[in-house]
């Protein structure tokens, strides 16, 4: 794999990079290496991405990130809100022929300007729009959680397989340098065997009690399928193994607000190599940390998963790594792998594995029993 600081610089301003490096110079750097990045060459063409669902994440993160990508660009939108068509069309120069609504979405099959459909809808809509996009012959990026059931994940993967299109997850942290570094530290046992991992991801809902994230029919689960996915991913990514067992507990302190879905969940993984993980997620508490204890040291990320500002250190010093545009790198990576007909590093199978784990967590929380994690998809 080729990699260089130059590639990262395409996704962050040179000034910001210099500031990072300047700050880092005063700290003891565990690793000066930049994350592995697979490509150097200029693309022959940028693949066209259509965002489906123009809510907070598309508006605040994905569309701006698509202004920084090298291998793909914002080419189309799919929205149920006509007022957004004009706003987005003007802001991003999207031609009328590349604007769809949920009814005429399937005609996107006839549009060669769209190569990738990015599904950024409430969780319960991921399966339908992934399958419709695949049947229209488009590659798909699906936001997390992949779906609200394992059954749906299977149908999504089957649709993509049958259509011969690639399916990837919106797992942006796989493209973030601090997260890549702790994966390396854990998986390569730089500090020896990992003995214990803690990972937590949550925020507090204080108002807007009508939002879809609190409705089972649209969200599937509460905090677990939302921020809990980061906690699950964090532990598995640094250990580099799938867990053998999960035990889980759910706590509701505001049952009148969290009527339909979980509020706070804690869970424990037992890994085949002996590592134990204790994870937590909540829609009623702020938490954002990854910590790993090893035989000969430790490392942590605090905060672990925001879009910007991730910081890390280890028993040997600070992790001196740059801030990047995670979403731009994530989408470029997928586009690059489509252009080179290679598999994505965050495939649908990984998303399905996490939904399998979510179902096991819910089972354990409901029964109070340890649940074996068998036949995981990834
Ligand atoms: P949001 O509520 O801000 O936006 C949802 C969009 O879906 C809106 O444009 C809304 O109009 C549309 N929509 C269509 N049908 C709807 C319906 N029946 N009910 C409600 N909305 C409907 O949500 P968001 O924060 O943009 O999240 C969208 C998806 O992206 C979720 O799956 C979420 O988990 C994921 N997400 C991922 C990240 C990440 O860092 N990877 C961050 C935020 C959100």
């Amino acid at each position: 794999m080729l990699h260089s600081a130059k590639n990262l610089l395409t996704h962050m301003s040179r000034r910001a990079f210099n500031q990072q490096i300047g700050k880092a110079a005063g700290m003891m750097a565990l690793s000066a290496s930049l994350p592995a990045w697979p490509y150097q060459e200029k693309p022959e063409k940028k693949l066209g991405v259509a965002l489906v669902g123009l809510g907070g994440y598309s508006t605040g993160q994905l569309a701006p990130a698509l202004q920084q990508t090298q291998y793909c660009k914002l080419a189309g939108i799919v929205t149920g809100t006509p007022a957004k068509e004009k706003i987005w069309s003007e802001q991003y120069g999207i031609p009328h022929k590349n604007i769809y609504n949920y009814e005429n979405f399937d005609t996107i099959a006839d549009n060669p300007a769209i190569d990738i459909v990015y599904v950024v809808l409430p969780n319960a809509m991921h399966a339908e729009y992934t399958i419709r996009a695949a049947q229209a012959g488009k590659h798909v990026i699906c936001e997390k959680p992949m779906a609200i059931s394992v059954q749906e994940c299977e149908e999504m993967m089957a649709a993509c397989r049958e259509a011969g299109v690639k399916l990837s997850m919106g797992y942006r942290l796989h493209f973030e340098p601090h997260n890549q570094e702790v994966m390396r530290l854990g998986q390569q046992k730089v500090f020896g065997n990992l003995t214990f991992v803690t990972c937590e991801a949550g925020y507090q809902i204080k108002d807007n009690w009508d939002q879809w994230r609190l409705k089972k029919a649209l969200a599937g689960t509460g905090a677990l399928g939302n921020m809990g996915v980061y906690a699950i991913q964090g532990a598995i990514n640094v250990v580099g193994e799938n867990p053998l067992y999960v035990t889980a507990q759910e706590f509701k302190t505001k049952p009148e607000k969290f009527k339909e879905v979980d509020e706070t969940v804690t869970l424990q993984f037992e890994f085949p190599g002996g590592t134990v993980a204790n994870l937590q997620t909540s829609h009623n508490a702020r938490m954002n940390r990854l910590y790993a204890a090893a035989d000969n040291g430790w490392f942590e990320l605090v905060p672990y998963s925001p879009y910007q500002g991730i910081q890390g250190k280890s028993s040997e010093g600070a992790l001196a790594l740059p801030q990047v545009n995670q979403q731009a790198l994530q989408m470029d990576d997928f586009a690059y792998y489509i252009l080179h007909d290679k598999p994505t590093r965050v495939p649908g199978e990984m998303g399905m594995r996490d939904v399998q784990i979510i179902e096991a967590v819910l089972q354990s929380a409901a029964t109070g029993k340890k649940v074996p994690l068998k036949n995981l998809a990834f």
Side-chain angles (χ1 to χ4, degrees):
M1 280 201 180
L2 300 168
H3 62 277
S4 74
K6 194 161 153 271
N7 293 102
L8 276 164
L9 286 177
T10 59
H11 296 283
M12 62 189 299
S13 79
R14 202 161 282 275
R15 190 156 165 266
F17 182 82
N18 288 337
Q19 279 169 352
Q20 282 292 324
I21 294 301
K23 259 193 258 167
M27 302 186 272
M28 181 179 172
L30 180 78
S31 166
S33 66
L34 289 167
W37 201 242
Y39 47 77
Q40 298 256 332
E41 71 270 32
K42 279 252 172 258
E44 276 171 28
K45 70 160 198 161
K46 286 188 176 189
L47 297 183
V49 177
L51 295 173
V52 188
L54 307 180
Y57 195 50
S58 286
T59 307
Q61 305 303 323
L62 297 176
L66 282 163
Q67 311 312 304
Q68 295 189 34
T69 38
Q70 311 294 307
Y71 289 81
C72 55
K73 63 180 182 189
L74 179 58
I77 50 174
V78 184
T79 177
T81 313
K84 289 184 185 169
E85 294 182 9
K86 188 165 180 289
I87 296 167
W88 279 67
S89 167
E90 283 176 7
Q91 184 167 357
Y92 292 112
I94 298 168
H96 182 71
K97 68 177 183 56
N98 293 356
I99 299 178
Y100 296 86
N101 57 41
Y102 299 123
E103 287 70 44
N104 67 17
F105 170 62
D106 307 276
T107 62
I108 206 167
D110 306 321
N111 191 338
I114 310 295
D115 303 284
I116 299 169
V117 166
Y118 196 150
V119 180
V120 204
L121 289 163
N123 309 341
M125 300 171 78
H126 291 183
E128 177 187 341
Y129 283 88
T130 296
I131 291 168
R132 285 170 70 179
Q135 287 171 347
K138 307 301 176 185
H139 301 287
V140 187
I141 308 176
C142 179
E143 259 315 320
K144 48 90 322 239
M146 180 166 164
I148 60 168
S149 71
V150 172
Q151 168 80 32
E152 282 187 349
C153 295
E154 278 167 357
E155 289 165 12
M156 293 157 81
M157 291 202 309
C160 291
R161 225 177 8 251
E162 279 159 26
V165 298
K166 292 185 196 297
L167 172 60
S168 135
M169 293 299 304
Y171 283 156
R172 58 186 165 79
L173 294 177
H174 285 258
F175 308 90
E176 195 284 320
H178 300 78
N179 275 266
Q180 291 180 325
E181 177 63 357
V182 294
M183 289 184 219
R184 185 185 76 80
L185 294 176
Q187 292 178 19
Q188 296 184 10
K189 300 186 193 300
V190 172
F191 292 106
N193 284 318
L194 294 189
T195 48
F196 197 84
V197 175
T198 308
C199 195
E200 51 193 53
Y203 62 85
Q204 190 173 28
I205 296 180
K206 292 180 177 163
D207 50 24
N208 189 11
W209 297 104
D210 281 335
Q211 63 179 288
W212 65 262
R213 284 192 167 87
L214 299 175
K215 295 187 168 62
K216 192 172 168 59
L218 282 168
T221 60
L224 182 59
N226 185 18
M227 302 305 285
V229 174
Y230 293 106
I232 290 168
Q233 278 264 319
I236 292 176
N237 292 343
V238 296
V239 175
E241 295 171 347
N242 281 335
L244 289 175
Y245 300 100
V246 66
T247 314
Q249 307 78 33
E250 194 210 331
F251 301 90
K252 259 197 220 306
T253 64
K254 295 176 179 159
E256 73 291 357
K257 302 288 192 196
F258 296 96
K259 279 195 279 281
E260 299 184 24
V261 290
D262 56 277
E263 174 190 315
T264 296
V265 175
T266 54
L267 61 121
Q268 299 78 42
F269 282 153
E270 293 168 57
F271 287 93
T275 314
V276 172
N278 189 33
L279 315 180
Q280 47 203 19
T281 186
S282 182
H283 271 165
N284 192 43
R286 296 162 63 130
M287 48 180 87
N288 204 323
R289 189 171 82 110
L290 170 77
Y291 175 85
D295 283 338
N296 307 317
W298 55 268
F299 51 88
E300 70 175 2
L301 298 180
V302 187
Y304 145 64
S305 62
Y307 304 140
Q308 286 292 315
I310 295 174
Q311 302 290 330
K313 60 185 177 190
S314 81
S315 43
E316 291 196 5
L319 306 188
L321 294 162
Q323 301 294 323
V324 297
N325 187 315
Q326 302 164 25
Q327 290 84 0
L329 291 171
Q330 171 213 317
M331 291 186 278
D332 257 352
D333 192 72
F334 187 48
Y336 178 87
Y337 280 116
I338 290 168
L339 289 164
H340 292 79
D341 198 23
K342 291 193 174 129
T344 160
R345 67 176 100 171
V346 285
E349 285 81 357
M350 184 186 273
M352 174 163 155
R353 174 201 64 192
D354 295 345
V355 175
Q356 288 175 304
I357 292 173
I358 286 170
E359 288 194 352
V361 168
L362 292 173
Q363 188 189 337
S364 176
T367 61
K369 296 207 168 97
K370 182 189 284 194
V371 175
L373 295 165
K374 291 189 189 139
N375 303 320
L376 295 178
F378 184 79

